[in-house]
Amino acid sequence: MDFSYRRDVEAGPHNGTWASLFGTFQLRARDGAEIKISNRRARTLLAMLCLVPNEPIDRDHVSKLLWPGRFEAQAKASLRQCLLELGKVLGAFDCDILDISRTRISLKAGAVRTDLAELQICLAEGEFEKATDRLTAIGTKALLDQMHFGDAFKDWLAGHRHEAEQRLQNAITAALSALEESDNLTNHARLSNAWSVRSPTGKTISDRKQGKARIAVLPFKSIADPDDHGFFADGVVDELITSLGQVPQLLVAGRTSSFQFKDSDKTPSQIAGALNVSHLLEGSVHRQGEQVRVAVSLVDADSGFESWAFSYDGSLDDMFAARAEVVQAVTNGLSDALKLTEHENKPRKLTSNREAYGLYLQGRALTIRAIGDGVLPTAIELLEKALEIDPEFAECWTALAEAEINMTVYTPCLDRLERSEKAAGYAQKALSLSPQQAHARIVLAFYAWTQNDIVGALDLAFEAYRLEPNNPDVLNRVGSFLLYCGRSRDALPYIEASIDQDPVNGRSYAMLSGVHLNLGNIDAAIDAGQRMVDLGFPSMWLAAALAVSGDNDAAMETYQLTKKLMNTVIFPPAGSAPLDPDAMDAYWLMAAKGLWGGEDQDRKNYCMVLEMLHATLHDPYDTTITLPAIWMGQAQMVFKTLGQQITTANFFSFMSLWTDAEPINQVRLHPDFMDFAERIGMVAAWEKYGWPDLPLGPSHVN
């Protein structure tokens, strides 16, 4: 057990100086006053020393790191001047913390406390509740965020960050082992969840690939009355997915991917390969009048043989009343068959009314489907009827909230803001009835974005993740929110984990393509974009990746393919009529040339069209304006659209702000970008959750 960091490292002439290393570096004097160091290199030098408090740093090395490209004598002279200025600032606060010789610079022993050291001490001394609180407050903030001085400094910082995070990982692992040995499961869960937020590539998400049985619950065959439409069978499957998702040793494929194989003629082996699982849970619901028979079997994907089976016979009333027990019986039987340990099941707050349940199942199925003429209005009508029958039906309130959000995203509705506010009210109602719901928090997070409360949105997303860390939809939202804030490296493991569990959900591949594009992984961005297209979704992100790769012709050709999905996956802007085929062809050709052709005149022409759309559309903040404006680096258009009104339909545009390629990066590097980021609440989010991976524009002083 690595408990090497003890309080004895803090022995010495302690003067109460405090340094915060997570996020933006800050230094505070004994009385709590912030010691502001305006010299950027002086501040960075002090931050480096605080990150390695017991290691002197060679002066020659520092001068090369902080003054790259200068002549050696000039760099050394600059370092001397920097140290003089730093000494004056610290002296004004009576902070005698530096030990400077002719060859080396270090901190005096025990002169500075840091948030990193305090967290390590709490873990080493068994103060696990304090450690969890500190870890939760730190969240995803990087050590010494927003410090940029060239490649050599970047390598130095990356190496020492890795060492510090590895020490922290070792301390967390030891603490979790100690808590497990003492059967302190409550603190174990709190600490594990807090760490999984900070390190999604650590224990929680790595377990997806090691030590877990991977299973998919396929849609049950419904042999029923003609008016049943299989909704009862889908309800059983839905509850099984939720119940099995609570088994720690199971990784359950997402509902979106599983339901892609409804009535499929593929073999079990083929389905398992597509879903990346080792076992399939198949079943049927045979209903004749009021009698029902549910049959379930576990199939080994490799052999195709059945390894376990379960059946239930009774009246529909009996089945409905006992469905929670039936689901629990299946869960327990499956756990026994796979030799899994016992677990605590947390039942969902559903309804005891059959009619309300049937309406809920139909409405929720349409809500998940989302796309199609009249699909979502019908879903809302069905869910509202269910709530008229049972107003205490918490899950139905959440489904209604999701349906309203989907209306604002997937239809050209004219009342997006009103519907978003209504959805938030429904989500609050759901939480008042069932406080542990993750999806309701995600709906509230969507609404928070529209109110420029990005901190609140991230808070809600991470709370949803703590409640349901194995829910692929929640993983996707945490990852996408981090991506929208420019934290692409932090976003990637969440998005990959979501896709790992829900691999046939096409929407997730837009996020994956975007995050790889932002990280400079162009081939991976192209692959993810192509996968999205193969699953029937728009080709816009593939076109962007192809353009960044330098293949403008392929980008233009690919972008124009998006028109084939008009009125099916994407719709005309709110309040406008669909274009006729010739006009649609002309529009998409002009857009493709303007975005990806590389010719200035084509770009200017399309910019003029965006200005016209902004002046004439019912919704001047529509995605048909915001996303192209970002891709063309049209900063002022971005500022007067997203800077004026974020909606649930346009806020995914933020993912493209962080691609470091011309002309996209002109928005991020614009002198007014920081004012824009401040106005929409992005800066507040950075201050709490960490700054973007990329350096910001000239108006931002590190």
Side-chain angles (χ1 to χ4, degrees):
M1 293 169 61
D2 184 7
F3 281 166
S4 58
Y5 202 100
R6 303 282 182 180
R7 284 198 187 274
D8 55 13
V9 302
E10 303 259 322
H14 206 292
N15 63 6
T17 307
W18 169 265
S20 176
L21 303 185
F22 290 100
T24 303
F25 177 74
Q26 286 188 331
L27 191 71
R28 295 191 179 276
R30 183 184 303 125
D31 61 0
E34 183 180 356
I35 303 174
K36 294 185 177 180
I37 306 170
S38 58
N39 185 310
R40 191 163 64 101
R41 287 180 170 83
R43 187 168 70 249
T44 301
L45 170 57
L46 190 55
M48 293 167 64
L49 294 170
C50 290
L51 184 60
V52 289
N54 303 314
E55 299 177 19
I57 303 178
D58 184 82
R59 289 180 66 140
D60 287 345
H61 189 43
V62 171
S63 65
K64 292 174 183 176
L65 291 177
L66 298 186
W67 287 271
R70 294 193 185 181
F71 292 114
E72 183 178 350
Q74 186 182 14
K76 289 181 178 180
S78 296
L79 175 59
R80 286 195 296 272
Q81 183 61 36
C82 177
L83 289 170
L84 286 173
E85 292 181 23
L86 183 57
K88 290 178 182 177
V89 173
L90 296 175
F93 288 86
D94 194 25
C95 291
D96 183 19
I97 61 175
L98 294 179
D99 193 350
I100 303 172
S101 72
R102 293 183 61 185
T103 58
R104 301 193 305 179
I105 311 166
S106 63
L107 290 180
K108 292 186 176 180
V112 180
R113 295 178 301 141
T114 69
D115 48 1
L116 173 61
E118 286 294 302
L119 174 56
Q120 291 173 309
I121 288 167
C122 287
L123 290 166
E125 299 193 347
E127 297 177 354
F128 299 130
E129 290 189 24
K130 260 189 202 178
T132 300
D133 291 341
R134 289 177 183 273
L135 197 56
T136 299
I138 289 166
T140 62
K141 294 177 185 174
L143 285 162
L144 302 190
D145 210 354
Q146 284 296 288
M147 290 188 170
H148 307 282
F149 289 96
D151 290 342
F153 176 80
K154 181 179 178 181
D155 291 343
W156 183 94
L157 183 56
H160 287 284
R161 273 179 180 161
H162 176 74
E163 291 174 6
E165 293 284 0
Q166 190 59 55
R167 288 194 298 270
L168 194 52
Q169 168 77 74
N170 293 340
I172 293 288
T173 301
L176 289 171
S177 296
L179 287 167
E180 191 171 359
E181 289 171 7
S182 64
D183 288 328
N184 192 339
L185 299 183
T186 299
N187 281 340
H188 182 282
R190 288 189 67 235
L191 181 59
S192 179
N193 286 339
W195 178 245
S196 69
V197 168
R198 172 157 191 83
S199 180
T201 55
K203 183 178 183 297
T204 299
I205 287 183
S206 66
D207 279 349
R208 300 173 178 280
K209 299 181 180 179
Q210 298 178 6
K212 285 196 175 187
R214 304 177 67 102
I215 187 169
V217 185
L218 297 182
F220 285 10
K221 294 179 181 178
S222 181
I223 308 168
D225 291 339
D227 61 349
D228 180 76
H229 302 297
F231 291 119
F232 185 80
D234 289 352
V236 174
V237 171
D238 193 57
E239 292 192 42
L240 275 171
I241 289 174
T242 300
S243 179
L244 293 171
Q246 297 178 32
V247 180
Q249 298 90 352
L250 278 183
L251 191 67
V252 184
R255 187 186 190 281
T256 303
S257 290
S258 290
F259 272 74
Q260 293 284 333
F261 295 95
K262 190 168 187 174
D263 300 322
S264 173
D265 58 0
K266 292 183 180 296
T267 66
S269 179
Q270 290 172 325
I271 295 174
L275 296 177
N276 192 23
V277 297
S278 57
H279 294 81
L280 300 171
L281 193 68
E282 299 179 329
S284 64
V285 175
H286 189 168
R287 179 181 168 190
Q288 187 170 12
E290 288 299 302
Q291 294 301 304
V292 64
R293 185 173 198 272
V294 177
V296 182
S297 60
L298 180 67
V299 177
D300 182 274
D302 290 333
S303 67
F305 292 131
E306 178 183 298
S307 58
W308 174 83
F310 170 88
S311 64
Y312 171 88
D313 290 278
S315 71
L316 191 58
D317 281 338
D318 291 340
M319 176 61 189
F320 180 77
R323 68 191 187 282
E325 288 79 2
V326 171
V327 167
Q328 188 60 52
V330 172
T331 303
N332 292 340
L334 189 60
S335 297
D336 291 341
L338 294 173
K339 297 180 173 57
L340 308 179
T341 58
E342 294 183 2
H343 70 286
E344 179 185 359
N345 186 57
K346 299 175 184 176
R348 296 155 72 189
K349 187 174 178 60
L350 294 170
T351 181
S352 59
N353 186 285
R354 257 179 63 182
E355 184 181 0
Y357 187 62
L359 291 166
Y360 158 77
L361 291 176
Q362 295 175 64
R364 187 167 183 272
L366 293 175
T367 298
I368 293 170
R369 176 179 159 192
I371 296 166
D373 188 27
V375 166
L376 289 169
T378 303
I380 291 171
E381 182 181 350
L382 291 166
L383 295 168
E384 287 176 338
K385 286 181 179 178
L387 289 167
E388 288 175 8
I389 298 170
D390 183 359
E392 302 298 302
F393 191 172
E395 291 270 354
C396 195
W397 283 109
T398 299
L400 182 57
E402 290 180 320
E404 290 286 2
I405 288 294
N406 283 352
M407 277 287 293
T408 68
V409 175
Y410 298 114
T411 73
C413 64
L414 302 176
D415 54 353
R416 285 191 174 116
L417 297 181
E418 293 83 354
R419 285 187 178 276
S420 297
E421 186 173 3
K422 192 185 295 186
Y426 296 152
Q428 290 284 14
K429 177 66 175 177
L431 289 174
S432 71
L433 294 168
S434 180
Q436 298 304 307
Q437 288 202 38
H439 274 109
R441 285 174 169 79
I442 296 299
V443 171
L444 290 173
F446 272 70
Y447 180 67
W449 272 87
T450 70
Q451 303 303 299
N452 293 340
D453 183 13
I454 299 176
V455 168
L458 284 164
D459 289 345
L460 286 160
F462 277 116
E463 181 59 25
Y465 175 68
R466 291 185 189 101
L467 291 168
E468 296 187 24
N470 292 321
N471 186 319
D473 293 331
V474 172
L475 286 162
N476 180 281
R477 291 307 173 195
V478 174
S480 62
F481 286 2
L482 289 169
L483 176 59
Y484 301 160
C485 291
R487 304 283 300 180
S488 300
R489 290 188 181 88
D490 289 340
L492 181 59
Y494 290 100
I495 294 169
E496 287 182 329
S498 174
I499 291 174
D500 177 56
Q501 194 172 341
D502 203 2
V504 195
N505 187 347
R507 296 182 183 92
S508 299
Y509 288 93
M511 303 299 165
L512 185 63
S513 183
V515 76
H516 279 306
L517 197 58
N518 293 347
L519 294 173
N521 306 328
I522 309 304
D523 289 343
I526 291 172
D527 289 344
Q530 185 61 58
R531 178 60 174 154
M532 185 182 185
V533 173
D534 293 342
L535 290 169
F537 286 83
S539 52
M540 296 182 286
W541 287 270
L542 175 58
L546 288 168
V548 172
S549 76
D551 195 342
N552 293 80
D553 290 340
M556 287 191 292
E557 181 180 351
T558 300
Y559 193 78
Q560 290 179 83
L561 296 177
T562 302
K563 69 187 177 187
K564 294 181 180 179
L565 298 173
M566 286 293 288
N567 302 318
T568 55
V569 175
I570 55 179
F571 295 90
S576 62
L579 297 173
D580 64 58
D582 290 340
M584 189 182 294
D585 287 345
Y587 176 82
W588 283 97
L589 176 59
M590 176 198 60
K593 287 182 176 180
L595 286 167
W596 313 124
E599 298 293 334
D600 286 343
Q601 189 57 52
D602 289 332
R603 182 174 179 274
K604 289 177 182 177
N605 291 342
Y606 193 34
C607 286
M608 291 173 61
V609 169
L610 295 188
E611 291 286 356
M612 182 271 292
L613 291 174
H614 181 64
T616 59
L617 286 183
H618 175 86
D619 180 2
Y621 318 112
D622 193 85
T623 311
T624 55
I625 303 170
T626 59
L627 197 53
I630 290 172
W631 281 333
M632 290 194 297
Q634 196 177 358
Q636 291 302 331
M637 179 59 76
V638 174
F639 300 156
K640 67 183 182 182
T641 50
L642 293 173
Q644 293 298 317
Q645 182 60 69
I646 299 172
T647 71
T648 50
N650 70 21
F651 82 121
F652 75 89
S653 305
F654 284 101
M655 65 184 278
S656 295
L657 277 174
W658 311 103
T659 300
D660 197 19
E662 290 284 351
I664 302 172
N665 59 10
Q666 291 179 18
V667 179
R668 173 176 55 87
L669 299 176
H670 193 279
D672 295 335
F673 181 77
M674 284 302 293
D675 290 338
F676 158 74
E678 179 80 43
R679 189 165 66 250
I680 64 173
M682 190 75 80
V683 172
W686 291 334
E687 288 173 345
K688 180 170 184 179
Y689 283 99
W691 291 78
D693 299 325
L694 297 173
L696 299 169
S699 60
H700 178 237
V701 179
N702 290 321

